[in-house]
Amino acid sequence: MGRDLGLDGVVDHFTLNSDEAGWLRNKTGATRLGFAVQLKFLTWRGRFPRMRMELPPDAVEHVAKQVGVAATKLGFYDFTSRAAKRHRSELRDLTGWHECTKTDLVKLVSHLVDVIWHDERREEQVRAELLRQMRAEMIEPPTAAQVNAIIRSALHQADERAVAEVAARLARSKDCTRRLDALVFTDPTGDDTEPHGTAAVNGDDTADEDDTESVLADIKAHPGNVSLNSLLDEISKLGQVRAVGVPAKAFAGIGVQVVGAWRARASASSPSHLRRFAPEVRQVLLAALLFQRQREITDTLVELLNSTVHRINARAEKKATEAFVAEFTKVRGKSGLLGKIAAASLSAPEGSVREVIYPAAGGEKTLKDLVAEMKAINAAFARSKREVFKSSYSNHYRSVLMKLLGVLDFRSSNDQHKPVMDALKLIERHKDSSTTYLPLSETIPLEGVVRKDWMEFAIFTPDKGPKRVMRTVYEACVFQALRDRLRCKEIWVVGADKWCNPDEDLPDDFEVRRAEYYEKLNKPRDAKVFIAQLQSEMRAELGALDTKLPKLLWVTISGKHRNGAIKFTEREPQKEPKNLRRLKKAIRKKWGTVALIDILKEAALRTGMLKALAPVGTREAIDEAKLLERLLLLIAYAYGTNSGISSVAAGEHGHSEEELRYTARRYLTAVGLKAAGVEIANATFAARQETVWGQGTTTVASDSTHFKAWDRNIFTEWHSRYGGRGVLVYWHIEKGSMAIHSQLLNCTASEVAAAIEGMMRHATTMQAEGNYVDSHGQSEIGFGLTRLLGYDLLPRIKQINKVKLYRPGREDEDTYERLADAMTRPIRWDVIENNYDQLIKYATAIRVGTASTEAILRRLTRTASHPVYQAMLEVGKAQKTIFVARYLRDRDLQREIQEGLNVVEGWNGANDIIFFGKSGELSSNRRDQQELSVLALHLLQTALVFVNTLMIQDMLAAPEWADALTDEDKQALTPLFWMHIQPYGEVRLNMGSRLQLAVPAPQEPNPEPEPAAA
């Protein structure tokens, strides 16, 4: 039988109304029950049940009670009999449902094309829309083969329509199509063949073709590291892209994923392949490539601008620091004086400064002289740093930064930043000047452009005459001010993606769909109601902590504590139960040492996850069996273990390096690998036995880990906490060690944003309602956003001893006496009330994906005066107070968070075992290749968890293990272990061998959307 629906589902979908009950008058016994069950299943699923196994047992019981027939009678009803078929025919007449005809097939395809042509290419979404339309038209789904044929036809026709629409727009732009063809043809007319089809092969034509292909290759090329050469290369690329003149509105109304798919086809195709396409298709693919590359290159230039200004400043500080450290060490006596002061302080810690420190230092005058000397040194240090900055800018960086002003169009929607915009125009007007000072005739904005500590350096005051502004110093100040405004998006760049107009980050239909968006976030329309809920929760949690504090042995709150008012004792770590070690050894004994590729193969064959890796083109001639083998080799070894394609090609499998590289170009995409990860996660959730793993969890743990990476690119950065250059990978792992999301991040990226992004963007069936994070994944802004988005942020706060608890209101000044030393001001509820609608708007932007969480946080956190930032901060302070008060008193919550974070730390430990190639270093300067490696590792480890889950269930089903595990054992049980895995050795692939595992209970493939959504 199928799975129980639960009381709500049974009542909603299997309750007979009066009309339906009347249709049963002439039926009795098993016939009556079978007829009723078929009827309700039809209205629930939009089709008739194929067998009794599909029926939820509790639904059958519910229907049986209504019709007055024992549920066991259903065993005598044959769903394949002539009587059952006659009942289905009768039900069609009664309900209006009908079987799918050829006319219906044509109409369904036409409907799908109308709905999806402009913005949808995901097969599962198209399938959901198809079944929704069939339900609306009361059409029973045809065979699985026919459904697949409808979907393929609709996708093909939708792409043809979209291509035709964009091609027509390109044709209306003068010479655009000719310039697009010139990227792949040596002859601008698009005809590069000799009269009888003989290709031109003379030396000049070959050179022309090389030049043509090099232009396209340059446009596709990824940026190098932060340097002047990289800036010049990217400026040149942007000029080449703009020269083609793809209209800005060429892809208006076309979805990002559609444009991205076209761009992927163009990127994976060589010029010779592109020449074989129909002209309209070729031009649209190239236009999509240029359209997205223009935005990417613009973003890259902004990144390079920010990084270059930061580098000038960092080098100036380093050089000045080295000089002043050397100078400081020359002064004698300071070390001895410091030692005397330290010794005196320790000998009389309760004494006064005048009585203890002054004598040790040689009197008050000595200390005053030392302070005066240090102030002079600090001032000189600042001057020296500015001089080095100005020198580096003038002599090395100025020429290229000035070129940037000519290619990037900076804008601002805030008049507060008009001085910086005016300053940019001013220095651009005088970019070719060689004078020392800016002209007196110019109006030179200083306030808001030149920082106070630079003012004396930027302005020259002669003995006679007006003050003059030093041109190069002023330019350096303008670029520093520009960087600061860019990073908070108060100044933005036309044609950029990441650095675009911040108003585009917010949903433009918020005014129209306000009620819907509030409902989706489950938030009240009235700000006062929202505030009352927060205040109520704050008072409840603070009151509970205040009441229970005397009995809590692990926490005390007192103003006498040195390092904060809260003194908190962590739980003792628990050891792994012995039974689990015994279980792992038994698994290794039963299945032996298993190669990684066999783990991935077993998971792929059982879940079909690799079918998600669709080709970037429209047709493929690779045999399905060969394709599966190549994908296994690429994911398991070339990318998943970081061994590389060349290394894998030398193994025993019959596939050449060229074939593997071709397959990687055509099939390995970030979108496909993410979809495969979702498939295996969902398959694992479905395969888990509740008796072994307990009920499904609704919380995930997330944390980052550092990967070393090549640094000839703009995204590899130095990480101070981990030490060394590299990138971060941010994982979201649920309690059963299954990864539901992963992200590749820069080292300076916000982990708070990454944690929120994973909770919002994972596409698995898991309902994530809580997120365990470490200290780096939480902040007051993070607490505010997660409250608005509707899930719990559950961090392990490193310095919880210094956390302040906020009061719900001024009337609570004397309410929580035992907590007084840890408490601070009341929450400013008026700020929340005044900006409540904007808070919902920003939260909606994150939920629907009009902007990334990082973009929203960048805009808010770098402009502390922003009213929405202030309101979000107050919400976050209230939510953090609620959490901390609960955390301090609830030992179970502390254990729960610690166990969750232990899971993600275990996942990070597995990274080192599996990702062993090239010493675990991401050996590519291309961001997309690094992302493929991380996603392949994600897929490989989830495959390990899936197979281990089945192995554990198989082992525990044996009689000798039936009652072997205690409750403590089951609580610590994890499918993430690798003592039975062989990650190294020769690459061998044998598709004929399989792991001997019991097949999980059959689950009906469920192509229909969830009934509740129907």
Side-chain angles (χ1 to χ4, degrees), residues 13-14 20 23 35-49 55 87-88 90-98 135 138-141:
H13 302 296
F14 283 85
E20 292 169 342
W23 299 341
F35 186 90
V37 165
Q38 288 210 78
L39 166 62
K40 296 314 297 180
F41 193 93
L42 173 65
T43 59
W44 177 46
R45 284 296 196 189
R47 64 173 177 81
F48 291 108
L55 300 171
H87 290 164
R88 289 195 282 273
E90 184 179 344
L91 284 170
R92 291 186 185 107
D93 293 337
L94 291 168
T95 61
W97 284 83
H98 64 279
R135 178 182 286 272
M138 303 186 80
I139 301 171
E140 294 174 45

mmCIF file of all heavy atoms in Angstrom, residues 13-14 20 23 35-49 55 87-88 90-98 135 138-141:
data_model
loop_
_atom_site.group_PDB
_atom_site.id
_atom_site.type_symbol
_atom_site.label_atom_id
_atom_site.label_comp_id
_atom_site.label_asym_id
_atom_site.label_seq_id
_atom_site.Cartn_x
_atom_site.Cartn_y
_atom_site.Cartn_z
ATOM 1 N N HIS A 13 -9.135 15.157 0.792
ATOM 2 C CA HIS A 13 -9.143 14.551 -0.540
ATOM 3 C C HIS A 13 -9.991 13.287 -0.666
ATOM 4 O O HIS A 13 -10.271 12.861 -1.791
ATOM 5 C CB HIS A 13 -7.700 14.229 -0.962
ATOM 6 C CG HIS A 13 -6.806 15.423 -0.965
ATOM 7 N ND1 HIS A 13 -6.987 16.488 -1.803
ATOM 8 C CD2 HIS A 13 -5.708 15.715 -0.217
ATOM 9 C CE1 HIS A 13 -6.047 17.395 -1.579
ATOM 10 N NE2 HIS A 13 -5.269 16.953 -0.615
ATOM 11 N N PHE A 14 -10.403 12.669 0.462
ATOM 12 C CA PHE A 14 -11.122 11.401 0.363
ATOM 13 C C PHE A 14 -12.458 11.421 1.101
ATOM 14 O O PHE A 14 -12.949 10.375 1.529
ATOM 15 C CB PHE A 14 -10.240 10.252 0.868
ATOM 16 C CG PHE A 14 -9.192 9.830 -0.129
ATOM 17 C CD1 PHE A 14 -7.979 10.493 -0.208
ATOM 18 C CD2 PHE A 14 -9.436 8.787 -1.007
ATOM 19 C CE1 PHE A 14 -7.022 10.127 -1.134
ATOM 20 C CE2 PHE A 14 -8.489 8.410 -1.938
ATOM 21 C CZ PHE A 14 -7.272 9.082 -2.013
ATOM 22 N N GLU A 20 -21.628 12.606 -4.766
ATOM 23 C CA GLU A 20 -20.783 11.421 -4.967
ATOM 24 C C GLU A 20 -21.351 10.212 -4.218
ATOM 25 O O GLU A 20 -21.313 9.081 -4.721
ATOM 26 C CB GLU A 20 -19.354 11.724 -4.512
ATOM 27 C CG GLU A 20 -18.657 12.749 -5.404
ATOM 28 C CD GLU A 20 -17.352 13.253 -4.810
ATOM 29 O OE1 GLU A 20 -17.143 13.077 -3.578
ATOM 30 O OE2 GLU A 20 -16.549 13.824 -5.565
ATOM 31 N N TRP A 23 -23.998 8.427 -6.157
ATOM 32 C CA TRP A 23 -23.582 7.578 -7.280
ATOM 33 C C TRP A 23 -23.341 6.124 -6.854
ATOM 34 O O TRP A 23 -23.140 5.247 -7.693
ATOM 35 C CB TRP A 23 -22.309 8.132 -7.914
ATOM 36 C CG TRP A 23 -22.486 9.525 -8.474
ATOM 37 C CD1 TRP A 23 -23.651 10.139 -8.778
ATOM 38 C CD2 TRP A 23 -21.443 10.463 -8.769
ATOM 39 N NE1 TRP A 23 -23.432 11.394 -9.258
ATOM 40 C CE2 TRP A 23 -22.079 11.636 -9.269
ATOM 41 C CE3 TRP A 23 -20.065 10.446 -8.672
ATOM 42 C CZ2 TRP A 23 -21.365 12.773 -9.664
ATOM 43 C CZ3 TRP A 23 -19.341 11.561 -9.070
ATOM 44 C CH2 TRP A 23 -19.981 12.709 -9.554
ATOM 45 N N PHE A 35 -15.387 1.282 -6.349
ATOM 46 C CA PHE A 35 -15.912 2.396 -7.139
ATOM 47 C C PHE A 35 -15.624 3.728 -6.428
ATOM 48 O O PHE A 35 -15.156 4.698 -7.047
ATOM 49 C CB PHE A 35 -17.424 2.209 -7.342
ATOM 50 C CG PHE A 35 -18.054 3.215 -8.261
ATOM 51 C CD1 PHE A 35 -18.134 2.982 -9.622
ATOM 52 C CD2 PHE A 35 -18.573 4.401 -7.755
ATOM 53 C CE1 PHE A 35 -18.730 3.922 -10.475
ATOM 54 C CE2 PHE A 35 -19.163 5.341 -8.589
ATOM 55 C CZ PHE A 35 -19.242 5.097 -9.961
ATOM 56 N N ALA A 36 -15.889 3.758 -5.110
ATOM 57 C CA ALA A 36 -15.677 4.997 -4.349
ATOM 58 C C ALA A 36 -14.200 5.373 -4.282
ATOM 59 O O ALA A 36 -13.829 6.549 -4.401
ATOM 60 C CB ALA A 36 -16.248 4.821 -2.933
ATOM 61 N N VAL A 37 -13.346 4.389 -4.098
ATOM 62 C CA VAL A 37 -11.909 4.650 -4.023
ATOM 63 C C VAL A 37 -11.391 5.177 -5.361
ATOM 64 O O VAL A 37 -10.599 6.124 -5.420
ATOM 65 C CB VAL A 37 -11.157 3.371 -3.591
ATOM 66 C CG1 VAL A 37 -9.672 3.515 -3.861
ATOM 67 C CG2 VAL A 37 -11.395 3.080 -2.121
ATOM 68 N N GLN A 38 -11.829 4.590 -6.465
ATOM 69 C CA GLN A 38 -11.415 5.072 -7.780
ATOM 70 C C GLN A 38 -11.870 6.524 -8.003
ATOM 71 O O GLN A 38 -11.130 7.351 -8.540
ATOM 72 C CB GLN A 38 -11.983 4.177 -8.887
ATOM 73 C CG GLN A 38 -11.344 2.811 -8.985
ATOM 74 C CD GLN A 38 -11.355 2.280 -10.403
ATOM 75 O OE1 GLN A 38 -10.533 2.701 -11.213
ATOM 76 N NE2 GLN A 38 -12.279 1.389 -10.708
ATOM 77 N N LEU A 39 -13.090 6.824 -7.563
ATOM 78 C CA LEU A 39 -13.625 8.173 -7.713
ATOM 79 C C LEU A 39 -12.766 9.197 -6.976
ATOM 80 O O LEU A 39 -12.364 10.218 -7.543
ATOM 81 C CB LEU A 39 -15.067 8.206 -7.180
ATOM 82 C CG LEU A 39 -15.678 9.599 -6.944
ATOM 83 C CD1 LEU A 39 -15.765 10.371 -8.254
ATOM 84 C CD2 LEU A 39 -17.063 9.475 -6.293
ATOM 85 N N LYS A 40 -12.475 8.928 -5.699
ATOM 86 C CA LYS A 40 -11.735 9.908 -4.903
ATOM 87 C C LYS A 40 -10.273 9.992 -5.326
ATOM 88 O O LYS A 40 -9.659 11.069 -5.250
ATOM 89 C CB LYS A 40 -11.845 9.568 -3.405
ATOM 90 C CG LYS A 40 -13.252 9.654 -2.834
ATOM 91 C CD LYS A 40 -13.983 10.929 -3.255
ATOM 92 C CE LYS A 40 -13.329 12.206 -2.756
ATOM 93 N NZ LYS A 40 -14.071 13.416 -3.177
ATOM 94 N N PHE A 41 -9.716 8.873 -5.775
ATOM 95 C CA PHE A 41 -8.342 8.932 -6.278
ATOM 96 C C PHE A 41 -8.283 9.784 -7.541
ATOM 97 O O PHE A 41 -7.330 10.538 -7.761
ATOM 98 C CB PHE A 41 -7.820 7.517 -6.556
ATOM 99 C CG PHE A 41 -6.327 7.441 -6.777
ATOM 100 C CD1 PHE A 41 -5.471 7.181 -5.722
ATOM 101 C CD2 PHE A 41 -5.773 7.659 -8.031
ATOM 102 C CE1 PHE A 41 -4.099 7.118 -5.916
ATOM 103 C CE2 PHE A 41 -4.412 7.606 -8.229
ATOM 104 C CZ PHE A 41 -3.562 7.330 -7.170
ATOM 105 N N LEU A 42 -9.319 9.678 -8.377
ATOM 106 C CA LEU A 42 -9.378 10.481 -9.600
ATOM 107 C C LEU A 42 -9.413 11.974 -9.275
ATOM 108 O O LEU A 42 -8.674 12.770 -9.880
ATOM 109 C CB LEU A 42 -10.608 10.082 -10.417
ATOM 110 C CG LEU A 42 -10.916 10.951 -11.651
ATOM 111 C CD1 LEU A 42 -9.801 10.812 -12.686
ATOM 112 C CD2 LEU A 42 -12.264 10.557 -12.261
ATOM 113 N N THR A 43 -10.260 12.362 -8.321
ATOM 114 C CA THR A 43 -10.344 13.786 -7.981
ATOM 115 C C THR A 43 -9.093 14.280 -7.255
ATOM 116 O O THR A 43 -8.782 15.464 -7.276
ATOM 117 C CB THR A 43 -11.579 14.052 -7.102
ATOM 118 O OG1 THR A 43 -11.485 13.257 -5.897
ATOM 119 C CG2 THR A 43 -12.853 13.697 -7.841
ATOM 120 N N TRP A 44 -8.360 13.347 -6.627
ATOM 121 C CA TRP A 44 -7.133 13.717 -5.908
ATOM 122 C C TRP A 44 -5.945 13.830 -6.856
ATOM 123 O O TRP A 44 -5.258 14.846 -6.890
ATOM 124 C CB TRP A 44 -6.870 12.663 -4.823
ATOM 125 C CG TRP A 44 -5.604 12.861 -4.042
ATOM 126 C CD1 TRP A 44 -5.147 14.034 -3.507
ATOM 127 C CD2 TRP A 44 -4.649 11.860 -3.672
ATOM 128 N NE1 TRP A 44 -3.956 13.828 -2.835
ATOM 129 C CE2 TRP A 44 -3.629 12.501 -2.917
ATOM 130 C CE3 TRP A 44 -4.555 10.495 -3.904
ATOM 131 C CZ2 TRP A 44 -2.542 11.809 -2.400
ATOM 132 C CZ3 TRP A 44 -3.477 9.800 -3.366
ATOM 133 C CH2 TRP A 44 -2.475 10.453 -2.634
ATOM 134 N N ARG A 45 -5.714 12.779 -7.643
ATOM 135 C CA ARG A 45 -4.533 12.729 -8.481
ATOM 136 C C ARG A 45 -4.781 13.127 -9.936
ATOM 137 O O ARG A 45 -3.845 13.317 -10.697
ATOM 138 C CB ARG A 45 -3.952 11.314 -8.475
ATOM 139 C CG ARG A 45 -3.188 10.956 -7.219
ATOM 140 C CD ARG A 45 -1.967 11.828 -7.050
ATOM 141 N NE ARG A 45 -1.026 11.290 -6.087
ATOM 142 C CZ ARG A 45 0.038 11.941 -5.640
ATOM 143 N NH1 ARG A 45 0.285 13.149 -6.083
ATOM 144 N NH2 ARG A 45 0.839 11.386 -4.763
ATOM 145 N N GLY A 46 -6.031 13.224 -10.341
ATOM 146 C CA GLY A 46 -6.304 13.541 -11.737
ATOM 147 C C GLY A 46 -6.172 12.345 -12.649
ATOM 148 O O GLY A 46 -6.042 12.493 -13.871
ATOM 149 N N ARG A 47 -6.197 11.159 -12.098
ATOM 150 C CA ARG A 47 -6.146 9.913 -12.876
ATOM 151 C C ARG A 47 -6.667 8.791 -11.991
ATOM 152 O O ARG A 47 -6.864 8.965 -10.788
ATOM 153 C CB ARG A 47 -4.724 9.602 -13.339
ATOM 154 C CG ARG A 47 -3.743 9.327 -12.200
ATOM 155 C CD ARG A 47 -2.402 8.867 -12.723
ATOM 156 N NE ARG A 47 -1.437 8.660 -11.659
ATOM 157 C CZ ARG A 47 -1.350 7.585 -10.891
ATOM 158 N NH1 ARG A 47 -2.213 6.587 -11.068
ATOM 159 N NH2 ARG A 47 -0.429 7.488 -9.959
ATOM 160 N N PHE A 48 -6.873 7.636 -12.596
ATOM 161 C CA PHE A 48 -7.336 6.463 -11.846
ATOM 162 C C PHE A 48 -6.133 5.693 -11.290
ATOM 163 O O PHE A 48 -5.042 5.709 -11.893
ATOM 164 C CB PHE A 48 -8.158 5.545 -12.749
ATOM 165 C CG PHE A 48 -9.480 6.134 -13.147
ATOM 166 C CD1 PHE A 48 -9.693 6.583 -14.442
ATOM 167 C CD2 PHE A 48 -10.508 6.250 -12.217
ATOM 168 C CE1 PHE A 48 -10.906 7.126 -14.812
ATOM 169 C CE2 PHE A 48 -11.732 6.799 -12.577
ATOM 170 C CZ PHE A 48 -11.938 7.243 -13.880
ATOM 171 N N PRO A 49 -6.301 5.005 -10.175
ATOM 172 C CA PRO A 49 -5.191 4.192 -9.642
ATOM 173 C C PRO A 49 -4.903 3.008 -10.560
ATOM 174 O O PRO A 49 -5.814 2.396 -11.124
ATOM 175 C CB PRO A 49 -5.712 3.727 -8.280
ATOM 176 C CG PRO A 49 -7.201 3.799 -8.392
ATOM 177 C CD PRO A 49 -7.495 4.927 -9.321
ATOM 178 N N LEU A 55 -2.763 3.133 -3.230
ATOM 179 C CA LEU A 55 -3.761 3.747 -2.356
ATOM 180 C C LEU A 55 -3.235 3.916 -0.935
ATOM 181 O O LEU A 55 -2.738 2.947 -0.331
ATOM 182 C CB LEU A 55 -5.022 2.880 -2.329
ATOM 183 C CG LEU A 55 -5.701 2.680 -3.683
ATOM 184 C CD1 LEU A 55 -6.797 1.627 -3.572
ATOM 185 C CD2 LEU A 55 -6.257 3.999 -4.201
ATOM 186 N N HIS A 87 -16.429 0.681 -14.476
ATOM 187 C CA HIS A 87 -16.591 1.711 -13.445
ATOM 188 C C HIS A 87 -15.862 2.997 -13.848
ATOM 189 O O HIS A 87 -16.381 4.101 -13.634
ATOM 190 C CB HIS A 87 -16.041 1.208 -12.108
ATOM 191 C CG HIS A 87 -16.880 0.131 -11.495
ATOM 192 N ND1 HIS A 87 -16.420 -0.679 -10.479
ATOM 193 C CD2 HIS A 87 -18.148 -0.298 -11.769
ATOM 194 C CE1 HIS A 87 -17.364 -1.545 -10.140
ATOM 195 N NE2 HIS A 87 -18.419 -1.331 -10.913
ATOM 196 N N ARG A 88 -14.668 2.861 -14.437
ATOM 197 C CA ARG A 88 -13.926 4.048 -14.855
ATOM 198 C C ARG A 88 -14.688 4.802 -15.951
ATOM 199 O O ARG A 88 -14.732 6.031 -15.972
ATOM 200 C CB ARG A 88 -12.520 3.666 -15.307
ATOM 201 C CG ARG A 88 -11.623 3.229 -14.153
ATOM 202 C CD ARG A 88 -10.159 3.201 -14.543
ATOM 203 N NE ARG A 88 -9.809 2.030 -15.328
ATOM 204 C CZ ARG A 88 -9.438 0.859 -14.803
ATOM 205 N NH1 ARG A 88 -9.397 0.702 -13.474
ATOM 206 N NH2 ARG A 88 -9.116 -0.153 -15.578
ATOM 207 N N GLU A 90 -17.921 4.781 -16.359
ATOM 208 C CA GLU A 90 -19.079 5.397 -15.700
ATOM 209 C C GLU A 90 -18.656 6.672 -14.974
ATOM 210 O O GLU A 90 -19.360 7.693 -15.011
ATOM 211 C CB GLU A 90 -19.685 4.387 -14.720
ATOM 212 C CG GLU A 90 -20.958 4.880 -14.047
ATOM 213 C CD GLU A 90 -21.529 3.827 -13.097
ATOM 214 O OE1 GLU A 90 -21.115 2.634 -13.193
ATOM 215 O OE2 GLU A 90 -22.374 4.195 -12.260
ATOM 216 N N LEU A 91 -17.515 6.603 -14.312
ATOM 217 C CA LEU A 91 -17.029 7.775 -13.574
ATOM 218 C C LEU A 91 -16.662 8.919 -14.521
ATOM 219 O O LEU A 91 -16.843 10.095 -14.181
ATOM 220 C CB LEU A 91 -15.810 7.390 -12.715
ATOM 221 C CG LEU A 91 -16.131 6.596 -11.440
ATOM 222 C CD1 LEU A 91 -14.862 6.056 -10.799
ATOM 223 C CD2 LEU A 91 -16.893 7.487 -10.451
ATOM 224 N N ARG A 92 -16.147 8.597 -15.697
ATOM 225 C CA ARG A 92 -15.845 9.651 -16.672
ATOM 226 C C ARG A 92 -17.126 10.386 -17.061
ATOM 227 O O ARG A 92 -17.145 11.613 -17.168
ATOM 228 C CB ARG A 92 -15.169 9.044 -17.908
ATOM 229 C CG ARG A 92 -13.757 8.530 -17.658
ATOM 230 C CD ARG A 92 -13.082 8.075 -18.943
ATOM 231 N NE ARG A 92 -11.779 7.481 -18.654
ATOM 232 C CZ ARG A 92 -11.514 6.171 -18.722
ATOM 233 N NH1 ARG A 92 -12.468 5.316 -19.076
ATOM 234 N NH2 ARG A 92 -10.313 5.725 -18.439
ATOM 235 N N ASP A 93 -18.209 9.623 -17.273
ATOM 236 C CA ASP A 93 -19.474 10.253 -17.645
ATOM 237 C C ASP A 93 -20.012 11.120 -16.511
ATOM 238 O O ASP A 93 -20.578 12.197 -16.742
ATOM 239 C CB ASP A 93 -20.512 9.181 -18.008
ATOM 240 C CG ASP A 93 -20.141 8.421 -19.282
ATOM 241 O OD1 ASP A 93 -19.368 8.985 -20.093
ATOM 242 O OD2 ASP A 93 -20.605 7.276 -19.448
ATOM 243 N N LEU A 94 -19.835 10.652 -15.286
ATOM 244 C CA LEU A 94 -20.365 11.377 -14.135
ATOM 245 C C LEU A 94 -19.561 12.633 -13.790
ATOM 246 O O LEU A 94 -20.134 13.642 -13.381
ATOM 247 C CB LEU A 94 -20.401 10.450 -12.909
ATOM 248 C CG LEU A 94 -21.423 9.304 -12.942
ATOM 249 C CD1 LEU A 94 -21.160 8.318 -11.821
ATOM 250 C CD2 LEU A 94 -22.845 9.868 -12.842
ATOM 251 N N THR A 95 -18.238 12.541 -13.929
ATOM 252 C CA THR A 95 -17.368 13.642 -13.476
ATOM 253 C C THR A 95 -16.957 14.592 -14.581
ATOM 254 O O THR A 95 -16.558 15.733 -14.304
ATOM 255 C CB THR A 95 -16.087 13.079 -12.829
ATOM 256 O OG1 THR A 95 -15.369 12.304 -13.807
ATOM 257 C CG2 THR A 95 -16.432 12.204 -11.626
ATOM 258 N N GLY A 96 -16.999 14.154 -15.838
ATOM 259 C CA GLY A 96 -16.544 15.014 -16.928
ATOM 260 C C GLY A 96 -15.104 14.768 -17.341
ATOM 261 O O GLY A 96 -14.616 15.374 -18.298
ATOM 262 N N TRP A 97 -14.397 13.888 -16.615
ATOM 263 C CA TRP A 97 -13.023 13.549 -17.010
ATOM 264 C C TRP A 97 -13.078 12.696 -18.282
ATOM 265 O O TRP A 97 -14.053 11.965 -18.512
ATOM 266 C CB TRP A 97 -12.321 12.757 -15.904
ATOM 267 C CG TRP A 97 -11.887 13.644 -14.755
ATOM 268 C CD1 TRP A 97 -12.656 14.053 -13.725
ATOM 269 C CD2 TRP A 97 -10.588 14.198 -14.568
ATOM 270 N NE1 TRP A 97 -11.937 14.855 -12.874
ATOM 271 C CE2 TRP A 97 -10.646 14.960 -13.368
ATOM 272 C CE3 TRP A 97 -9.397 14.146 -15.257
ATOM 273 C CZ2 TRP A 97 -9.553 15.655 -12.875
ATOM 274 C CZ3 TRP A 97 -8.298 14.831 -14.767
ATOM 275 C CH2 TRP A 97 -8.379 15.577 -13.597
ATOM 276 N N HIS A 98 -12.024 12.801 -19.113
ATOM 277 C CA HIS A 98 -11.980 11.980 -20.325
ATOM 278 C C HIS A 98 -10.548 11.610 -20.656
ATOM 279 O O HIS A 98 -9.596 12.249 -20.195
ATOM 280 C CB HIS A 98 -12.616 12.721 -21.509
ATOM 281 C CG HIS A 98 -11.881 13.972 -21.909
ATOM 282 N ND1 HIS A 98 -12.034 15.178 -21.254
ATOM 283 C CD2 HIS A 98 -10.973 14.195 -22.908
ATOM 284 C CE1 HIS A 98 -11.271 16.095 -21.810
ATOM 285 N NE2 HIS A 98 -10.611 15.527 -22.814
ATOM 286 N N ARG A 135 -5.342 18.645 -15.618
ATOM 287 C CA ARG A 135 -6.328 18.637 -14.533
ATOM 288 C C ARG A 135 -7.397 19.703 -14.788
ATOM 289 O O ARG A 135 -8.589 19.458 -14.587
ATOM 290 C CB ARG A 135 -5.627 18.884 -13.197
ATOM 291 C CG ARG A 135 -6.582 18.949 -12.012
ATOM 292 C CD ARG A 135 -5.806 19.234 -10.732
ATOM 293 N NE ARG A 135 -5.080 18.064 -10.302
ATOM 294 C CZ ARG A 135 -5.583 17.119 -9.509
ATOM 295 N NH1 ARG A 135 -6.837 17.185 -9.103
ATOM 296 N NH2 ARG A 135 -4.852 16.093 -9.150
ATOM 297 N N MET A 138 -9.606 18.518 -17.325
ATOM 298 C CA MET A 138 -10.174 17.215 -16.936
ATOM 299 C C MET A 138 -9.783 16.133 -17.939
ATOM 300 O O MET A 138 -10.613 15.338 -18.406
ATOM 301 C CB MET A 138 -11.695 17.303 -16.765
ATOM 302 C CG MET A 138 -12.114 18.346 -15.745
ATOM 303 S SD MET A 138 -13.872 18.380 -15.370
ATOM 304 C CE MET A 138 -13.989 17.018 -14.221
ATOM 305 N N ILE A 139 -8.483 16.128 -18.259
ATOM 306 C CA ILE A 139 -7.926 15.133 -19.178
ATOM 307 C C ILE A 139 -7.080 14.160 -18.360
ATOM 308 O O ILE A 139 -6.202 14.578 -17.605
ATOM 309 C CB ILE A 139 -7.045 15.793 -20.252
ATOM 310 C CG1 ILE A 139 -7.849 16.819 -21.051
ATOM 311 C CG2 ILE A 139 -6.433 14.749 -21.174
ATOM 312 C CD1 ILE A 139 -7.000 17.673 -21.983
ATOM 313 N N GLU A 140 -7.327 12.879 -18.515
ATOM 314 C CA GLU A 140 -6.494 11.880 -17.839
ATOM 315 C C GLU A 140 -5.123 11.833 -18.508
ATOM 316 O O GLU A 140 -5.036 11.874 -19.745
ATOM 317 C CB GLU A 140 -7.146 10.496 -17.922
ATOM 318 C CG GLU A 140 -8.446 10.387 -17.155
ATOM 319 C CD GLU A 140 -9.096 9.037 -17.395
ATOM 320 O OE1 GLU A 140 -8.379 8.017 -17.350
ATOM 321 O OE2 GLU A 140 -10.314 9.011 -17.668
ATOM 322 N N PRO A 141 -4.045 11.758 -17.722
ATOM 323 C CA PRO A 141 -2.714 11.715 -18.322
ATOM 324 C C PRO A 141 -2.550 10.515 -19.248
ATOM 325 O O PRO A 141 -3.003 9.409 -18.917
ATOM 326 C CB PRO A 141 -1.777 11.603 -17.111
ATOM 327 C CG PRO A 141 -2.570 12.124 -15.969
ATOM 328 C CD PRO A 141 -3.993 11.747 -16.257
#
